[in-house]
Amino acid sequence: MNIIANVRAQVPLIHCITNYVTVNDVANILLACGGSPIMADDAQEAAEMSSICNGTVINIGTLNARTVDSMITAGKKANELGHIVVLDPVGAGATTLRTETTFRLLNEIQFSVIRGNISEIKTVYQGSGTTKGVDADVSDTVTEKNLEEVITFAKQLSQKTGAIIAITGAIDIVADSTKAYVIRNGHAMMSKITGTGCMLTGMVAAYCAANPQNKLEATVAAVSAMGYCGEIAFAKTQKENSGTSSFRMHLIDAVSQLDDNTLLGGRNIESRE
Amino acid sequence: MNIIANVRAQVPLIHCITNYVTVNDVANILLACGGSPIMADDAQEAAEMSSICNGTVINIGTLNARTVDSMITAGKKANELGHIVVLDPVGAGATTLRTETTFRLLNEIQFSVIRGNISEIKTVYQGSGTTKGVDADVSDTVTEKNLEEVITFAKQLSQKTGAIIAITGAIDIVADSTKAYVIRNGHAMMSKITGTGCMLTGMVAAYCAANPQNKLEATVAAVSAMGYCGEIAFAKTQKENSGTSSFRMHLIDAVSQLDDNTLLGGRNIESRE
Amino acid sequence: MNIIANVRAQVPLIHCITNYVTVNDVANILLACGGSPIMADDAQEAAEMSSICNGTVINIGTLNARTVDSMITAGKKANELGHIVVLDPVGAGATTLRTETTFRLLNEIQFSVIRGNISEIKTVYQGSGTTKGVDADVSDTVTEKNLEEVITFAKQLSQKTGAIIAITGAIDIVADSTKAYVIRNGHAMMSKITGTGCMLTGMVAAYCAANPQNKLEATVAAVSAMGYCGEIAFAKTQKENSGTSSFRMHLIDAVSQLDDNTLLGGRNIESRE
């Protein structure tokens, strides 16, 4: 596997229109994983910035009327140029604005990858083309018990959207319309810091931009990399008996030190046709 | 005391309309103390977001016309639902916009707790209902010498606003209209990192949201917790001979590891009727 | 040399209208170096805030129509009062909006110092008064080979703008119209975290505000301090075999612990008349 090596060799430039809560973490994880971040959310430059980048991230974590327009123009430009575009529908389903913005983005932009937790992805499903009744009636937690069901749901959503679907949580699922991977890495402490989801979305964009012929594998690599680095970070945190802020530092450190071989040795992935 | 235990058990969701300087720290301290943060500052969703949360923080650190309207609608909705609403009047008194916004917020929203330094709180006093001449002529520093005077001032302000008043600095004072606590925890290094005030305001909201019957005690717990964790962090920083960024990490770490018993053993509080 | 001692003694208050990606780092480095940060980007208060500060930083990293107007009014007010004003033209040349905003800022504000990488500074050159044809045809990388040429370019730009010019990269150059310094400190890992440029710009403002009679020397001190602290941070990171997030912490730590004597012992500067 040379997915990470490709990122470090090509240093893909990723334009992020993202929330101001975790934007610094996203920039730092992009640098740590081998990419390069640039943030520009004014409608006057969003499309132009996307055009000089290798990938675009659209994250609705602190959306507002001004930035939604920028997301649309940036995403359309990236589509026009055949660039990677990744959606992180933060909080879709929680408020009308987030849900409707997610629907609008899905309607106007073709995403390469959509990454969210199960409830966000269920909202994405509602907004993706024709829904046959109450399709997305999967549970709001992914467990070993409902795994088959969620995999089927993810594949269907990939079919509907044309995007790779990454559902992250205690168990992660990455799927296109025909193939799915189940990833069992990570640690519960990842939910005790802000930004692990946003950071992962940034990494997915960088990994895909540097491996455009293998987007599914690149997404699986990014998701498993984040999870495995969470395990490494937890081990360090536990050893020194420190807390969540140390954990965050160790997490970004681990991403900055990761290579393909280490990831292959540490990740726990299962392929499901 | 089970104030912290309640936070960790209930995981109160806190909606923060706050500044972009320290927002990441606020999110991380909320997670560290046992709560959960969500940030949404667009007027289209601010009230809706507050309605699904357990508490709302309004922090004017980098206010602008767009977000002030969101603060108002979010605060009113929280009031309507009987939720905790905490005000952090960052820089009130420094510019006309901040002072007038503070007055407007005080006029339109009933706050559960108002937290600031002495000069910010003096500005709050000016904007709280009828001021009898130059009431707030206390000094701009709280010392052992003027402590009685500041306590009286804090109680009066609580009477006027109906909010618990937390004045933080080298010595902290938390008061309602009849009772005050003096807290002597913390370390000077806390003023050498940004965000300790904003983070504390977030913690106050989480502690109160999980202990709504004991808001005064919950606020005292949050203020003393932040101070005591500052002491723990300073001890670690000194031991390793590191600097202010290490201190920040140790501070958030300490909050993430704190429980009620540890706080009871470490805090230095004095009750003043 | 007592440049750093002056900063720590005077605690200059620096108003930053800056990007939301690295704003927290800028605030923390300002505190670490001995200054004090305040951020306010609304047009209603930007000028008023600048007027009560000792210096103003204008950083276009995530500019938008609303904040550009605030930059203009804040900069003009700072000019009116004879305060330090420092420009960080992040991404100038990358998009039309950034280039045109840079030109507008140069046209309306007299900067004390302009700090950027060589390609940003070349764009600044294009927008500074009358350009004699394709003046700024220096390379996009500063190397030992083209050093003379870049020094001449920097001096000319200082002549044109009336500002001290700081061009930072693997080799740093600080120049006014008659004198230049070459600084060979720093480490490549500084480019693997976000914000080193923005943080340095903040430090330049604090150093100059506390040493207004020696702005050139103060800028050299800030640039060499950041570079030398990068070396200290790298040594610690390497020793503990950690990654980029630890490096960031060590960098800010080092700035918080730095004094004039340590800097004199560690910096590598060369004067070129």
Side-chain angles (χ1 to χ4, degrees), chain A residues 11 16-20 23-25 27-28 31-32 34-35 37-42 44-45 48-49 52 66-67 236 248-250 252-254 256-257, chain C residues 20-25 60-66 90-91 94-98 100 189 191-195 240-249:
Chain A
V11 194
C16 306
I17 304 184
T18 188
N19 67 77
Y20 58 80
V23 60
N24 184 269
D25 296 327
N28 274 316
L31 287 161
I38 184 90
M39 278 70 173
D41 68 17
D42 193 88
Q44 282 183 71
E45 68 170 355
E48 190 180 356
M49 194 61 93
I52 60 167
R66 185 177 68 73
T67 53
K236 284 198 185 178
R248 179 172 76 149
M249 183 179 71
H250 295 318
I252 299 175
D253 275 359
S256 77
Q257 296 181 301
Chain C
Y20 57 81
V21 183
T22 64
V23 60
N24 184 269
D25 296 327
I60 66 166
T62 51
L63 80 178
N64 62 60
R66 186 177 68 73
V90 182
T95 67
T96 309
L97 177 64
R98 286 172 195 240
E100 287 182 352
M189 199 177 252
S191 66
K192 290 298 173 191
I193 60 170
T194 192
E240 65 195 19
N241 190 28
S242 56
T244 54
S245 189
S246 292
F247 174 79
R248 178 171 78 149
M249 183 179 70

Side-chain angles (χ1 to χ4, degrees), chain C:
Chain C
M1 188 170 84
N2 53 6
I3 287 173
I4 297 175
N6 288 342
V7 182
R8 299 206 188 277
Q10 296 172 35
V11 194
L13 189 57
I14 306 299
H15 177 208
C16 305
I17 304 184
T18 188
N19 67 77
Y20 57 81
V21 183
T22 64
V23 60
N24 184 269
D25 296 327
V26 171
N28 275 315
I29 208 85
L30 276 167
L31 288 161
C33 82
S36 185
I38 183 90
M39 279 69 173
D41 68 16
D42 193 88
Q44 282 184 70
E45 69 169 355
E48 191 180 355
M49 194 61 93
S50 274
S51 72
I52 59 167
C53 289
N54 306 101
T56 295
V57 166
I58 296 176
N59 173 312
I60 66 166
T62 51
L63 80 178
N64 62 60
R66 186 177 68 73
T67 53
V68 170
D69 287 342
S70 303
M71 291 170 184
I72 298 285
T73 64
K76 283 188 170 177
K77 175 58 74 177
N79 276 172
E80 198 183 307
L81 299 169
H83 292 177
I84 295 292
V85 196
V86 183
L87 174 65
D88 192 330
V90 182
T95 67
T96 309
L97 177 64
R98 286 172 195 240
T99 300
E100 287 182 352
T101 299
T102 300
F103 290 1
R104 188 178 161 207
L105 291 165
L106 289 164
N107 195 44
E108 303 205 30
I109 298 163
Q110 171 59 52
F111 290 99
S112 316
V113 187
I114 302 170
R115 190 218 63 83
N117 62 34
I118 180 69
S119 60
E120 290 159 351
I121 297 296
K122 281 168 66 177
T123 301
V124 167
Y125 195 100
Q126 303 293 342
S128 313
T130 34
T131 19
K132 306 165 254 164
V134 196
D135 259 315
D137 60 349
V138 292
S139 161
D140 266 330
T141 317
V142 180
T143 62
E144 297 294 345
K145 273 194 174 172
N146 68 359
L147 199 50
E148 251 347 290
E149 190 188 1
V150 180
I151 287 169
T152 304
F153 162 75
K155 284 180 174 173
Q156 282 178 5
L157 181 55
S158 178
Q159 174 76 32
K160 286 174 72 176
T161 58
I164 292 163
I165 305 299
I167 302 171
T168 57
I171 303 172
D172 304 319
I173 290 159
V174 175
D176 65 12
S177 59
T178 60
K179 198 170 177 181
Y181 290 89
V182 178
I183 300 158
R184 292 183 185 84
N185 285 104
H187 188 274
M189 199 177 252
M190 296 173 80
S191 66
K192 290 298 173 191
I193 60 170
T194 192
T196 46
C198 303
M199 287 192 274
L200 173 53
T201 302
M203 281 176 68
V204 165
Y207 277 47
C208 286
N211 297 278
Q213 308 308 324
N214 290 297
K215 288 199 290 278
L216 183 62
E217 288 68 28
T219 304
V220 170
V223 171
S224 58
M226 178 56 86
Y228 181 50
C229 288
E231 295 172 23
I232 295 170
F234 178 72
K236 284 198 186 178
T237 304
Q238 195 175 34
K239 195 179 164 188
E240 65 195 19
N241 190 28
S242 56
T244 54
S245 189
S246 292
F247 174 79
R248 178 171 78 149
M249 183 179 70
H250 295 318
L251 178 66
I252 299 175
D253 276 0
V255 171
S256 78
Q257 297 181 299
L258 193 69
D259 59 31
D260 290 294
N261 277 342
T262 311
L263 177 58
L264 280 177
R267 75 186 189 174
N268 181 350
I269 69 173
E270 179 195 349
S271 164
R272 301 255 188 136
E273 298 302 315

Side-chain angles (χ1 to χ4, degrees), chain B residues 9 12 51 53 115 142 158:
Chain B
S51 72
C53 289
R115 190 218 63 82
V142 180
S158 179

Side-chain angles (χ1 to χ4, degrees), chain A residues 20-21 95 98 194 245-246, chain B residues 24 28 41 45 48 253 257:
Chain A
Y20 58 80
V21 183
T95 67
R98 287 173 193 239
T194 192
S245 190
S246 292
Chain B
N24 184 268
N28 274 315
D41 68 16
E45 68 170 356
E48 190 180 356
D253 276 359
Q257 296 181 301

Side-chain angles (χ1 to χ4, degrees), chain A residues 36 73 86 109 143 173 184 190 197 214 217 219 225 259 265 269:
Chain A
S36 186
T73 63
V86 182
I109 298 163
T143 61
I173 290 159
R184 293 184 183 82
M190 295 174 81
N214 290 298
E217 288 69 27
T219 303
D259 59 30
I269 69 172

Side-chain angles (χ1 to χ4, degrees), chain B residues 125-199:
Chain B
Y125 195 100
Q126 303 293 341
S128 313
T130 34
T131 18
K132 307 166 253 163
V134 197
D135 259 316
D137 61 349
V138 292
S139 161
D140 267 330
T141 318
V142 180
T143 61
E144 297 294 346
K145 274 195 171 170
N146 68 359
L147 200 50
E148 249 349 289
E149 189 187 1
V150 180
I151 287 169
T152 304
F153 162 75
K155 283 180 175 174
Q156 282 177 4
L157 181 55
S158 179
Q159 175 76 33
K160 286 175 71 178
T161 58
I164 292 163
I165 304 300
I167 302 171
T168 57
I171 304 172
D172 304 318
I173 291 158
V174 175
D176 65 13
S177 59
T178 60
K179 198 170 178 181
Y181 290 90
V182 178
I183 300 158
R184 292 183 184 83
N185 285 105
H187 188 275
M189 199 178 252
M190 295 173 81
S191 66
K192 291 296 173 192
I193 60 169
T194 192
T196 46
C198 303
M199 286 193 275

Side-chain angles (χ1 to χ4, degrees), chain A residues 32-88:
Chain A
C33 82
S36 186
I38 184 90
M39 278 70 173
D41 68 17
D42 193 88
Q44 282 183 71
E45 68 170 355
E48 190 180 356
M49 194 61 93
S50 273
S51 73
I52 60 167
C53 289
N54 306 101
T56 295
V57 165
I58 295 175
N59 173 312
I60 66 166
T62 52
L63 80 177
N64 63 59
R66 185 177 68 73
T67 53
V68 170
D69 287 341
S70 303
M71 291 170 184
I72 298 286
T73 63
K76 283 188 170 178
K77 176 58 76 177
N79 276 172
E80 197 182 308
L81 298 170
H83 292 177
I84 294 293
V85 197
V86 182
L87 174 66
D88 192 330

